[in-house]
């Protein structure tokens, strides 16, 4: 891995290059997505079927497009029981964590004749997009669906492509465990458009969540406003802050856990110890040689991997805050003391025995996290992501009398006479 001293002049340029490594939609991609989305919006199911055959090379008819109960039952016969038990444990922990996030409506008497409050309600429906290309991610099904269920969303629609003609059985089992309402065998921009606008077969939803390729991400951006979306997810990333107490083997394995995702993944170590830096560098090479996905991991490490040498842990925290990583590990002797310096991160893993993978799969907090520096202003997916709030306002005549003059004065400043008149006509009544 490239070892960079924090005092080097080009460190800011190098870190910016890594942070901004995500794919951006080209004009060609944007044009394809616009065509697909607009045709699905206007033509519905026929356009969905046509694009599924064109892009996924799968011929489906409307009778086959929805996954049947028989297919879900059959999926249970094609999976390993131990793996299903692990998914059930993960679901239990995810549900328990997100139950703690639930918000409630409230009402408060602010003064005589004035009652204010907030009404919290779940959205009616949500669409879950699940990739079906390079890899199988049942954990993402759990992470996207369970918070919505905890929030109280009634209808959960899942779409996933089936380029091989059938859906991965672990995806179907995870969807069943999490409580998906309906599953459809479509992917790409056509699936996003179908969920955003609705077709005769696929219901329209209020929000779309879940990762996807550049066409899916561009389609989500295109339909935003017609529906809500979670975020535009970029490539995965990890940043590890480590001191002399860290085990080089542990740190190297954690860096590689992200590098194996895809060629655009980023793995960064920030440490005040040159000795640790050199040991981790050597350990990454040793472990990399034995990985099943070593070609992918090698490209990621070579292009977007780095070890940054700093003067101390305070500077390490400053570097991390500037990067705002998706996953941040504090592999230091006193992680809770360092935690106070951390301002920007999607998920924070504390100590030597809390690898990022435990958060990805089993701990309970959501693994749908902001990437590409957006942890500066975005949060992980949560039950809040599937809630909406309405303000409650109640005034009696006496309450309105106390503030009516102020309302009219502000309306006068803004030149909105009718606004002021809503007060005048009420105050004129005896």
């Amino acid at each position: 891995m490239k070892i960079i001293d924090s005092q080097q002049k080009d460190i800011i340029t190098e870190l910016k290059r890594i942070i901004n490594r995500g794919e951006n939609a080209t004009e060609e991609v944007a044009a394809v997505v616009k065509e697909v989305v607009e045709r699905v919006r206007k033509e519905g199911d026929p356009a969905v079927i046509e694009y599924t055959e064109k892009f996924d090379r799968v011929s489906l008819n409307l009778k086959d497009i929805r996954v049947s109960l028989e297919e879900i039952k059959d999926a249970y016969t094609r999976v390993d029981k131990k793996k299903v038990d692990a998914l059930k444990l993960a679901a239990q922990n995810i549900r328990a964590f997100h139950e703690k996030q639930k918000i409630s409506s409230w009402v408060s008497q602010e003064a005589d004749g004035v009652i204010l409050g907030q009404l919290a309600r779940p959205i009616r429906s949500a669409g879950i997009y699940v990739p079906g290309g390079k890899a199988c991610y049942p954990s993402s099904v759990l992470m996207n669906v369970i918070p919505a269920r905890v929030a109280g969303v009634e209808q959960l629609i899942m779409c996933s492509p089936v380029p091989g003609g059938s859906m991965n059985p672990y995806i179907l089992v995870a969807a069943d465990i999490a409580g998906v309402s309906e599953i459809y065998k479509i992917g790409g921009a056509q699936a996003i458009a179908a969920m955003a606008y609705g077709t005769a077969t696929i219901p329209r939803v209020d929000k779309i969540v879940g990762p996807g390729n550049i066409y899916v991400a561009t389609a989500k951006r295109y339909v935003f406003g017609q529906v809500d979306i979670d975020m535009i997810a970029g490539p995965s990333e990890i940043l590890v802050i480590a001191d002399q107490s860290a085990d080089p083997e542990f740190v190297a394995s954690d860096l590689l856990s992200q590098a194996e995702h895809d060629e655009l993944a980023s793995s960064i170590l920030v440490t005040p110890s040159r000795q640790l830096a050199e040991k981790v560098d050597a350990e990454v090479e040793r472990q990399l040689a034995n990985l099943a996905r070593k070609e992918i991991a090698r490209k990621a490490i070579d292009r977007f991997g780095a070890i940054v040498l700093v003067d101390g842990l305070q500077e390490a925290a400053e570097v991390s805050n500037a990067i705002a990583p998706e996953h941040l590990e504090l592999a230091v002797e006193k992680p809770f003391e360092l935690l106070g310096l951390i301002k920007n991160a999607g998920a924070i893993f504390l100590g030597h025995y809390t690898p990022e993978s435990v958060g990805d799969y089993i701990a309970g907090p959501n693994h749908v996290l902001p990437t590409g520096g957006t942890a500066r202003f975005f949060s992980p997916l949560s039950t809040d992501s599937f809630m909406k709030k309405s303000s409650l306002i109640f005034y009696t005549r006496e309450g309105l009398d106390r503030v009516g003059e102020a309302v009219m004065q502000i309306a006068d400043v803004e030149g909105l006479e009718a606004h002021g008149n809503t007060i005048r006509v009420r105050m004129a009544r005896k």
Side-chain angles (χ1 to χ4, degrees):
M1 296 179 71
K2 186 184 301 181
I3 299 179
I4 311 169
D5 191 292
S6 65
Q7 302 306 311
Q8 287 180 217
K9 291 182 180 180
D10 62 346
I11 186 172
I12 294 176
T13 301
E14 175 62 11
L15 292 180
K16 281 184 177 179
R17 182 188 71 82
I18 293 174
I19 294 168
N20 298 324
R21 71 198 181 283
E23 291 181 290
N24 292 315
T26 62
E27 290 185 7
E28 181 181 356
V29 169
V32 170
V33 167
K34 181 179 180 180
E35 176 195 313
V36 171
V37 171
E38 289 302 323
R39 279 200 57 199
V40 171
R41 181 177 69 85
K42 295 173 183 175
E43 302 172 25
D45 288 333
V48 171
I49 296 295
E50 179 184 327
Y51 284 121
T52 297
E53 184 168 1
K54 178 179 179 180
F55 295 128
D56 293 338
R57 294 180 173 82
V58 176
S59 297
L60 296 173
N61 59 53
L62 292 179
K63 292 181 181 179
D64 298 330
I65 200 170
R66 179 174 173 178
V67 173
S68 66
L69 290 176
E70 289 72 22
E71 288 175 286
I72 295 173
K73 289 178 182 177
D74 178 66
Y76 276 94
T77 69
R78 297 187 289 125
V79 292
D80 185 302
K81 184 181 182 300
K82 286 185 178 180
K83 291 180 172 60
V84 174
D85 288 343
L87 289 172
K88 288 180 177 178
L89 175 60
Q92 177 182 318
N93 292 345
I94 296 165
R95 189 170 290 108
F97 178 84
H98 289 83
E99 285 282 355
K100 294 181 176 69
Q101 294 181 330
K102 291 175 70 174
I103 58 173
S104 302
S105 300
W106 58 269
V107 175
S108 173
Q109 179 134 7
E110 299 296 312
D112 288 342
V114 179
I115 296 174
L116 303 179
Q118 180 174 274
L119 190 64
R121 291 285 185 267
I123 59 176
R124 182 193 62 82
S125 61
I128 316 297
Y129 187 87
V130 179
K134 292 182 180 179
C136 158
Y137 297 117
S139 62
S140 289
V141 176
L142 302 180
M143 292 289 185
N144 280 280
V145 174
I146 291 174
R149 274 289 175 222
V150 170
V153 178
E154 294 178 10
Q155 186 182 46
L156 285 163
I157 307 302
M158 190 178 101
C159 287
S160 185
V162 288
S166 62
M167 202 170 291
N168 185 286
Y170 286 103
I171 295 295
L172 291 178
V173 168
D176 186 55
I177 291 170
V180 173
S181 309
E182 303 168 28
I183 306 171
Y184 294 91
K185 304 171 187 176
I186 58 167
Q190 64 269 27
I192 300 301
M195 290 190 285
Y197 295 101
T199 72
T201 303
I202 301 165
R204 175 185 177 183
V205 301
D206 297 318
K207 181 164 188 165
I208 298 173
V209 301
N213 62 20
I214 189 63
Y215 291 92
V216 170
T218 304
K220 286 172 69 177
R221 194 189 299 274
Y222 189 88
V223 301
F224 176 61
Q226 176 67 30
V227 293
D228 191 18
I229 61 173
D230 49 355
M231 61 186 80
I232 304 298
S236 190
E237 58 201 31
I238 187 171
L239 187 148
V240 180
I241 296 178
D243 61 12
Q244 294 88 337
S245 69
D247 186 314
E249 185 178 10
F250 291 3
V251 174
S253 69
D254 296 349
L255 294 171
L256 288 171
S257 72
Q258 292 309 293
E260 73 172 353
H261 265 295
D262 66 58
E263 294 89 344
L264 290 174
S266 167
S267 301
I268 298 174
L269 167 63
V270 182
T271 180
S273 171
R274 177 172 286 277
Q275 183 181 34
L276 178 69
E278 292 173 351
K279 287 182 178 180
V280 169
D281 184 31
E283 187 62 29
V284 164
E285 291 300 317
R286 186 188 72 79
Q287 293 185 29
L288 186 56
N290 299 317
L291 286 181
R293 294 166 65 88
K294 61 184 176 184
E295 291 183 8
I296 292 172
R298 166 58 68 192
K299 290 178 181 177
I301 287 292
D302 287 350
R303 294 172 64 196
F304 304 114
I307 299 176
V308 181
L309 291 173
V310 292
D311 286 338
L313 292 182
Q314 181 168 340
E315 187 182 0
E318 291 170 359
V319 170
S320 177
N321 287 333
I323 294 173
E326 177 188 15
H327 305 98
L328 171 62
E329 289 189 6
L330 304 183
V332 298
E333 186 175 2
K334 298 177 180 179
F336 285 93
E337 291 185 10
L338 182 58
L339 181 60
L341 298 177
I342 302 303
K343 307 300 181 186
N344 305 319
I348 305 170
F349 304 80
L350 297 99
H352 299 309
Y353 289 90
T354 316
E356 179 274 334
S357 57
V358 79
D360 257 0
Y361 296 135
I362 211 79
N366 211 287
H367 78 197
V368 180
L369 303 168
T371 60
T374 60
R376 292 177 295 111
F377 48 84
F378 269 139
S379 302
L381 194 72
S382 69
T383 55
D384 274 359
S385 305
F386 300 95
M387 300 290 292
K388 53 191 176 66
K389 307 177 187 79
S390 299
S391 300
L392 302 178
I393 306 166
F394 170 80
Y395 275 72
T396 62
R397 169 61 192 259
E398 293 74 17
L400 188 61
D401 283 344
R402 287 198 300 273
V403 300
E405 181 61 30
V407 173
M408 289 188 290
Q409 291 296 331
I410 295 172
D412 186 53
V413 169
E414 296 189 350
L416 298 174
E417 182 182 6
H419 279 62
N421 283 341
T422 65
I423 305 299
R424 292 186 186 93
V425 297
R426 285 169 170 80
M427 293 180 72
R429 292 289 176 91
K430 302 299 183 184

